[in-house]
Amino acid sequence: MEVALNLDPVSPIALYRQIYDGLRGGIVGGRFEAGAKLPASRALATSLGVSRITVTECYERLVSEGYLETRRGSGTFVCSSLPETDMYASGVTVEIDPQVESYPPVRLSRYGAIIDAPIRPPNPPEMLRLDSHGPDVTAFPRKLWTRLWVRRMQEDPPKLLQYTQEFNGSTELRTAVAHYLRMSRAVVCDPNQIIITSGSQQALYLAARIFLDQSDCVAMEAPGYRFAGRIFDSQGANILPIPVDRNGMQVSQLKKHSDKAVKLVYVTPSHQYPRGVSLSIARRMDLLAWARQAGALILEDDYDSEYRYNERPLPSIQGMVPDAPVLYVGTFSKLLFPTLRLGYLVVPRAFQDVFTGGKLLCDLQSSSIDQRILTDFLTEGHLEPYVRKMRIIYRNRRALLVESLQKHFGRRVTVYGDHAGMHFLADFQIDLSEEEAFGRALAAGVRLERVYWPACSAVERAGHVQFVFAFAALSENQLILAAERVAGAFLS
Amino acid sequence: MEVALNLDPVSPIALYRQIYDGLRGGIVGGRFEAGAKLPASRALATSLGVSRITVTECYERLVSEGYLETRRGSGTFVCSSLPETDMYASGVTVEIDPQVESYPPVRLSRYGAIIDAPIRPPNPPEMLRLDSHGPDVTAFPRKLWTRLWVRRMQEDPPKLLQYTQEFNGSTELRTAVAHYLRMSRAVVCDPNQIIITSGSQQALYLAARIFLDQSDCVAMEAPGYRFAGRIFDSQGANILPIPVDRNGMQVSQLKKHSDKAVKLVYVTPSHQYPRGVSLSIARRMDLLAWARQAGALILEDDYDSEYRYNERPLPSIQGMVPDAPVLYVGTFSKLLFPTLRLGYLVVPRAFQDVFTGGKLLCDLQSSSIDQRILTDFLTEGHLEPYVRKMRIIYRNRRALLVESLQKHFGRRVTVYGDHAGMHFLADFQIDLSEEEAFGRALAAGVRLERVYWPACSAVERAGHVQFVFAFAALSENQLILAAERVAGAFLS
């Protein structure tokens, strides 16, 4: 018997390994049947063009692992029975037919069946992305961050590297975040109410997972934040879309659905996503009163309240009344840099344990090193000057992009929202459908973000085309160019 | 009207802020009723012992926010109606009675209701922890890691800091991991089949979430890995415990449950947790054949296969046949350091998208920086020498602890498992219950780990007391001391 094996002499995989894998795969896959005799090691070595010792070593290993056996004087054979013969008494054999199917017919869970494959469009370098909500990371003080990082990594003993029991986040970071939120957002909390998460995405996921069962009702702003909607959808929840006007979510509309047993209300009160308006005080109080009556929780996402260019932000809903029925969510991923996977939840005391347990089940803990560096960054006073600096940069970028669009579109463009944040919504009166406009902008080298309407709640907007412009990460030149390209695409 | 506010002069919160919060809280909470007149700013300043400008600024801010109004010549009043009077036509007001309840009566989801509060026992510094499965991080090449880290942080543009579209992990890391697994574990995969996760905890969570619905059946080894059992429990799955003997999971027992429609089988074939044995080749093949027939998936957790002290590990089940019905799980958190939250899944091609989508929903992405540094560590060849070094250290620690226990306990201790890994299971023939023994060891300054029996499957073991000894993170002196303490506790 001559044995042909596919050997690839330029592969990074050693020849020994390739031969071993080929033989083992052949035995297990049924190519070499039980009891079959293999060629003598010298013969196989010659046929494969390798040294005899290579083949001998493969044979020896396969013998020691129970795939092959040597019979004195007659050669090397595929084992006819493996050590535990009783296991094989049942007659079950592994049948392999690679043609049949490439995976077993295992049913996904309801959750698994709902999950979409993420859309990852190609991203050529010349494409200007107005759909990416990252901050401008070029301005981030990397040297400072590096200095803080190196300092902590030198500490001895290196306990930052070890497992922690603080699944909800380190005490130091939770203390610093509680202080920051009390001061800057009037959030009423102590450090025990804080759960450090892997970005606000994990915070929203945990809130949904811990409160929503299949068919439970969750209300959210329409239009709203796509990823929140996707998380709620994936839990099998029913989304109740609540319209948004210039004072934010229309709480009166929410109250009309007393039959729906709404459990969670997702709201972005500081800077509504994507419309950019603030939820008025009257509506905040109304929402709080409603939530108490209805036994619902408000999921307050305060994702970019640090960036207001004309006035101070309204304080959080969470802090408006004692023991507010609010899960408050925020993140440093966006404020500092996205790959810092650190966000947080502030939860009512009664829910501290369940969120800590939920975080533990999901991924045990967030990086202790990143938590420590962020704590140092906060407690040593680096956040405020950085935010002040970025506030000016983003304010100017926003103004420049609005101006550039108005220059090209005149009265045919309307920009919605407060002077705030890292994005705005623009409405174009043009003779194109939203689909056409999106495609033309893309062809012109600008990727815009479409408005997300939860539960297909979009109303007819004949002749109106709206897109989100996430401008923060683009330079002034890029923004001017983007406006030119959009104008060329929409008006030509 | 005199207004008393609780001001704390030594608080880190500015007096301005304390006054503002007090007034706003009073208005929202109903203490200051609609239309009520507030004291003149000078009078309030005097009564509070602060400068007038501080009070004026508070008033002005509250006016601008719609809580207060000034009436020319008559003073400052709490707004009788907030801007959106129509919102208040319903007559709903916020009623606050802090005595009533500290949180709203919101029902948790089934999942939320199952989650336990994590147990976090006090951990005095003199306590020797044999229940902590961390590696020895003091030997980790922190200087090298820091050098790699600093080098990447200096790159310009700093794209590592920005959002990525590679939710399943960076192409570079997935390529390096695929290469590593092909070489060292005979895993058959290409980089697209790899999902980078936040440690193996997230890998197990995702597998459970994506395949298990309420009441679905999942089989696992008994005794087994506690956190896997907790994840399955939290999904509402029914756990089918399968006994373990010296050849690993008794696959023949699994096959008896054809009525159960098992969807997942959790197995630790390289080094069974906690017994420390390997799953025999015959049983592996039997398990593969059974899984294909039953339409089940094997969840192969290969958590510490790098550490075998006498022989090479058996190759993975995943690579034994083409297109194996296997979800393969591993982690670098344990191999390098636990707070590096990087593990991975290798999934059949058909499930690449659903796992990528699942990872995205959970926490968007893992840290791009950590992924990049790990890639550099792997591709620049630092892993192998480190593992070789640690293999010697852990082998010696294991031998020392076994020896020390045998010295004290003689034939009354039996150590189970292969010469491998970072823990072993020891069985003590003593006149104590497991509960008593655990408590005595704790009182003597050693925290042991109890054996986990999924679905309460423990068989009666009269006179036998078993504990897991996770020895890797303890120094040789600590191990000798731990054995002494355990002997003192169990034998006195």
Side-chain angles (χ1 to χ4, degrees):
Chain A
M1 182 173 90
E2 183 148 41
V3 169
L5 291 175
N6 285 323
L7 298 188
D8 177 359
V10 298
S11 161
I13 302 172
L15 281 174
Y16 161 82
R17 184 72 209 206
Q18 293 186 49
I19 296 168
Y20 167 82
D21 285 345
L23 291 173
R24 188 171 63 88
I27 295 166
V28 174
R31 178 179 167 200
F32 308 126
E33 292 175 334
K37 186 177 181 182
L38 287 190
S41 55
R42 186 186 305 273
L44 182 58
T46 307
S47 78
L48 295 175
V50 301
S51 77
R52 188 181 167 195
I53 186 81
T54 306
V55 174
T56 312
E57 280 179 2
C58 287
Y59 277 11
E60 281 172 3
R61 182 165 167 198
L62 289 163
V63 166
S64 77
E65 290 173 350
Y67 291 102
L68 295 181
E69 55 189 358
T70 48
R71 296 184 201 149
R72 192 169 298 233
S74 47
T76 305
F77 298 82
V78 177
C79 285
S80 54
S81 65
L82 288 156
E84 302 80 5
T85 40
D86 56 327
M87 284 297 122
Y88 275 75
S90 65
V92 175
T93 52
V94 181
E95 290 185 335
I96 307 299
D97 182 352
Q99 306 300 329
V100 179
E101 53 176 7
S102 60
Y103 63 97
V106 185
R107 232 183 346 110
L108 298 172
S109 67
R110 276 175 159 176
Y111 177 79
I114 284 172
I115 297 175
D116 297 327
I119 298 160
R120 287 176 289 187
N123 193 27
E126 69 280 9
M127 181 71 74
L128 295 172
R129 291 193 55 184
L130 284 159
D131 68 329
S132 165
H133 289 265
D136 181 355
V137 294
T138 62
F140 184 75
R142 281 181 287 152
K143 276 190 186 163
L144 166 65
W145 193 265
T146 301
R147 201 169 69 233
L148 299 175
W149 199 91
V150 170
R151 190 179 67 186
R152 287 292 177 185
M153 279 297 273
Q154 286 169 345
E155 280 178 3
D156 223 48
K159 65 176 176 151
L160 279 187
L161 303 185
Q162 198 50 278
Y163 285 116
T164 171
Q165 292 186 62
E166 297 188 302
F167 310 112
N168 53 340
S170 76
T171 304
E172 294 83 5
L173 179 56
R174 286 183 290 107
T175 303
V177 170
H179 179 70
Y180 170 70
L181 293 177
R182 276 197 304 264
M183 298 303 282
S184 78
R185 305 295 306 124
V187 167
V188 176
C189 66
D190 65 56
N192 292 327
Q193 291 174 264
I194 292 182
I195 314 290
I196 300 296
T197 58
S198 296
S200 59
Q201 180 79 16
Q202 189 177 53
L204 298 179
Y205 178 85
L206 286 176
R209 185 79 183 104
I210 285 171
F211 286 103
L212 298 177
D213 279 312
Q214 189 79 23
S215 306
D216 276 350
C217 186
V218 55
M220 71 179 286
E221 299 152 327
Y225 176 49
R226 189 182 310 272
F227 276 114
R230 286 178 67 171
I231 289 173
F232 301 143
D233 270 337
S234 74
Q235 301 297 330
N238 293 327
I239 296 180
L240 177 65
I242 308 295
V244 170
D245 63 20
R246 68 181 198 287
N247 290 312
M249 176 187 265
Q250 293 179 21
V251 179
S252 58
Q253 295 294 319
L254 172 64
K255 288 156 71 181
K256 286 181 183 160
H257 295 278
S258 56
D259 54 317
K260 293 282 201 323
V262 174
K263 287 183 83 175
L264 281 185
V265 183
Y266 175 79
V267 63
T268 51
S270 296
H271 189 225
Q272 201 273 331
Y273 191 89
R275 285 252 166 115
V277 295
S278 316
L279 190 64
S280 68
I281 293 171
R283 289 192 183 174
R284 286 163 188 245
M285 293 174 70
D286 212 20
L287 183 61
L288 277 167
W290 170 87
R292 285 214 188 264
Q293 275 191 337
L297 279 174
I298 298 165
L299 182 51
E300 178 176 19
D301 189 349
D302 212 8
Y303 62 101
D304 73 356
S305 60
E306 289 81 5
Y307 295 122
R308 297 193 74 84
Y309 309 127
N310 290 351
E311 78 273 24
R312 298 175 66 104
L314 290 175
S316 66
I317 296 181
Q318 195 273 357
M320 288 183 76
V321 298
D323 298 316
V326 172
L327 306 169
Y328 178 90
V329 171
T331 182
F332 290 101
S333 302
K334 192 162 237 163
L335 197 55
L336 301 181
F337 54 93
T339 201
L340 179 68
R341 305 303 304 140
L342 292 175
Y344 48 84
L345 274 156
V346 183
V347 303
R349 276 173 231 288
F351 301 131
Q352 287 167 200
D353 282 351
V354 67
F355 273 91
T356 302
K359 167 69 179 169
L360 185 158
L361 284 174
C362 255
D363 65 3
L364 212 59
Q365 58 168 106
S366 288
S367 161
S368 302
I369 302 174
D370 288 344
Q371 289 187 62
R372 183 69 250 183
I373 307 313
L374 176 57
T375 306
D376 291 346
F377 192 85
L378 294 175
T379 56
E380 294 176 17
H382 302 299
L383 182 66
E384 230 181 283
Y386 178 62
V387 167
R388 270 202 304 273
K389 173 179 155 190
M390 297 315 290
R391 198 179 280 136
I392 295 167
I393 292 176
Y394 295 154
R395 185 186 62 197
N396 293 342
R397 288 187 183 174
R398 184 184 191 283
L400 178 72
L401 184 56
V402 169
E403 223 171 76
S404 304
L405 289 173
Q406 284 170 340
K407 190 184 89 186
H408 293 292
F409 287 92
R411 301 179 64 160
R412 297 171 73 180
V413 67
T414 309
V415 171
Y416 287 104
D418 301 346
H419 288 271
M422 297 158 76
H423 77 272
F424 59 76
L425 182 70
D427 180 301
F428 297 90
Q429 291 183 46
I430 48 177
D431 294 328
L432 297 169
S433 71
E434 215 161 85
E435 188 66 29
E436 287 167 340
F438 180 82
R440 286 203 187 186
L442 199 64
V446 177
R447 196 151 71 227
L448 297 171
E449 180 177 318
R450 273 180 265 212
V451 175
Y452 168 71
W453 292 91
C456 307
S457 54
V459 286
E460 279 300 319
R461 287 159 295 134
H464 287 247
V465 171
Q466 298 189 334
F467 293 105
V468 180
F469 286 74
F471 54 81
L474 271 64
S475 71
E476 306 212 338
N477 285 338
Q478 287 177 313
L479 292 171
I480 291 169
L481 181 59
E484 274 172 21
R485 288 184 181 175
V486 170
F490 287 7
L491 298 174
S492 64
Chain B
M1 181 174 94
E2 183 148 39
V3 168
L5 291 175
N6 285 323
L7 298 188
D8 177 359
V10 297
S11 160
I13 301 173
L15 282 174
Y16 161 82
R17 183 73 209 206
Q18 293 186 47
I19 296 168
Y20 167 83
D21 285 346
L23 291 172
R24 188 171 63 87
I27 295 165
V28 174
R31 178 181 166 199
F32 308 127
E33 293 175 334
K37 186 179 180 183
L38 288 189
S41 56
R42 188 187 305 270
L44 182 57
T46 307
S47 78
L48 295 175
V50 301
S51 78
R52 189 181 166 198
I53 187 81
T54 306
V55 174
T56 312
E57 279 178 3
C58 287
Y59 277 12
E60 280 171 4
R61 181 165 168 198
L62 289 164
V63 166
S64 76
E65 290 174 348
Y67 292 103
L68 295 181
E69 56 189 358
T70 48
R71 297 184 201 150
R72 192 169 298 233
S74 47
T76 304
F77 298 82
V78 178
C79 284
S80 53
S81 66
L82 288 156
E84 303 79 6
T85 40
D86 57 326
M87 283 296 119
Y88 274 76
S90 66
V92 175
T93 54
V94 181
E95 290 185 336
I96 307 300
D97 183 351
Q99 306 299 329
V100 179
E101 53 175 8
S102 60
Y103 63 97
V106 186
R107 232 184 346 110
L108 298 171
S109 67
R110 277 177 158 173
Y111 177 80
I114 284 172
I115 297 174
D116 297 326
I119 298 161
R120 288 176 288 188
N123 193 27
E126 68 279 8
M127 181 71 73
L128 295 172
R129 291 193 56 183
L130 283 159
D131 67 331
S132 166
H133 289 266
D136 182 354
V137 293
T138 62
F140 183 75
R142 283 181 287 152
K143 276 190 187 163
L144 166 64
W145 192 265
T146 301
R147 202 169 69 233
L148 299 176
W149 200 91
V150 170
R151 190 179 66 185
R152 288 291 176 185
M153 278 296 273
Q154 286 168 345
E155 279 178 4
D156 223 47
K159 65 175 176 152
L160 280 186
L161 302 185
Q162 198 50 277
Y163 286 117
T164 170
Q165 291 186 63
E166 297 188 302
F167 310 112
N168 53 340
S170 75
T171 303
E172 294 83 5
L173 180 56
R174 286 183 289 107
T175 304
V177 170
H179 178 72
Y180 170 70
L181 293 177
R182 276 197 304 264
M183 297 303 284
S184 78
R185 305 294 305 122
V187 167
V188 177
C189 66
D190 65 56
N192 291 326
Q193 291 174 262
I194 292 182
I195 314 290
I196 300 296
T197 59
S198 295
S200 60
Q201 179 80 15
Q202 188 177 53
L204 298 179
Y205 178 85
L206 286 176
R209 184 80 182 104
I210 284 171
F211 287 103
L212 299 176
D213 279 313
Q214 189 79 24
S215 306
D216 276 351
C217 187
V218 54
M220 70 178 287
E221 299 153 327
Y225 176 49
R226 188 181 310 271
F227 276 113
R230 285 180 66 172
I231 288 172
F232 301 143
D233 271 336
S234 74
Q235 301 297 329
N238 292 329
I239 296 180
L240 177 64
I242 307 295
V244 170
D245 63 20
R246 68 182 198 288
N247 291 311
M249 177 187 265
Q250 293 179 21
V251 179
S252 57
Q253 295 294 318
L254 172 64
K255 288 156 71 181
K256 287 181 182 162
H257 295 278
S258 55
D259 54 319
K260 291 281 201 323
V262 174
K263 287 183 82 174
L264 281 184
V265 183
Y266 175 79
V267 64
T268 50
S270 295
H271 189 224
Q272 200 273 333
Y273 191 89
R275 285 250 166 116
V277 296
S278 315
L279 190 64
S280 66
I281 293 172
R283 289 192 182 174
R284 286 164 188 245
M285 293 175 71
D286 211 20
L287 183 61
L288 277 167
W290 169 86
R292 285 212 187 265
Q293 275 192 335
L297 279 174
I298 298 165
L299 182 52
E300 176 176 19
D301 189 349
D302 212 10
Y303 61 100
D304 74 355
S305 61
E306 288 82 4
Y307 296 122
R308 297 194 73 85
Y309 309 128
N310 289 353
E311 78 271 27
R312 297 176 67 104
L314 291 175
S316 66
I317 296 181
Q318 194 273 359
M320 288 183 76
V321 298
D323 300 314
V326 172
L327 306 169
Y328 178 89
V329 171
T331 183
F332 289 102
S333 302
K334 192 161 236 162
L335 197 56
L336 301 182
F337 54 94
T339 201
L340 179 68
R341 306 303 302 139
L342 292 175
Y344 48 84
L345 274 155
V346 182
V347 302
R349 275 173 232 288
F351 300 130
Q352 287 167 201
D353 282 350
V354 67
F355 273 92
T356 302
K359 167 69 180 170
L360 185 159
L361 283 175
C362 256
D363 66 3
L364 211 59
Q365 58 167 107
S366 288
S367 162
S368 302
I369 302 174
D370 289 344
Q371 289 188 61
R372 183 70 252 184
I373 308 313
L374 176 56
T375 306
D376 292 346
F377 192 85
L378 294 174
T379 55
E380 294 176 16
H382 301 299
L383 182 66
E384 230 182 284
Y386 178 63
V387 168
R388 268 203 306 272
K389 172 180 154 188
M390 298 314 291
R391 197 178 281 135
I392 294 168
I393 292 175
Y394 294 155
R395 184 186 63 198
N396 292 342
R397 288 187 183 173
R398 185 184 191 283
L400 177 72
L401 183 56
V402 169
E403 222 171 74
S404 303
L405 288 174
Q406 284 170 339
K407 190 184 90 185
H408 293 293
F409 287 93
R411 300 180 64 160
R412 296 171 73 181
V413 67
T414 310
V415 172
Y416 286 103
D418 301 346
H419 288 272
M422 298 158 74
H423 77 272
F424 58 75
L425 183 71
D427 180 302
F428 297 90
Q429 291 184 48
I430 49 177
D431 295 328
L432 297 170
S433 71
E434 215 161 83
E435 188 65 29
E436 287 167 340
F438 179 82
R440 285 202 187 189
L442 198 63
V446 177
R447 195 151 73 229
L448 298 172
E449 180 177 318
R450 274 181 263 212
V451 175
Y452 168 72
W453 293 90
C456 308
S457 54
V459 286
E460 278 302 318
R461 285 160 296 133
H464 288 247
V465 171
Q466 298 189 334
F467 292 104
V468 180
F469 285 74
F471 55 80
L474 271 65
S475 70
E476 306 212 337
N477 285 337
Q478 287 177 314
L479 291 170
I480 291 169
L481 181 59
E484 274 172 23
R485 288 183 181 176
V486 170
F490 289 5
L491 299 174
S492 64

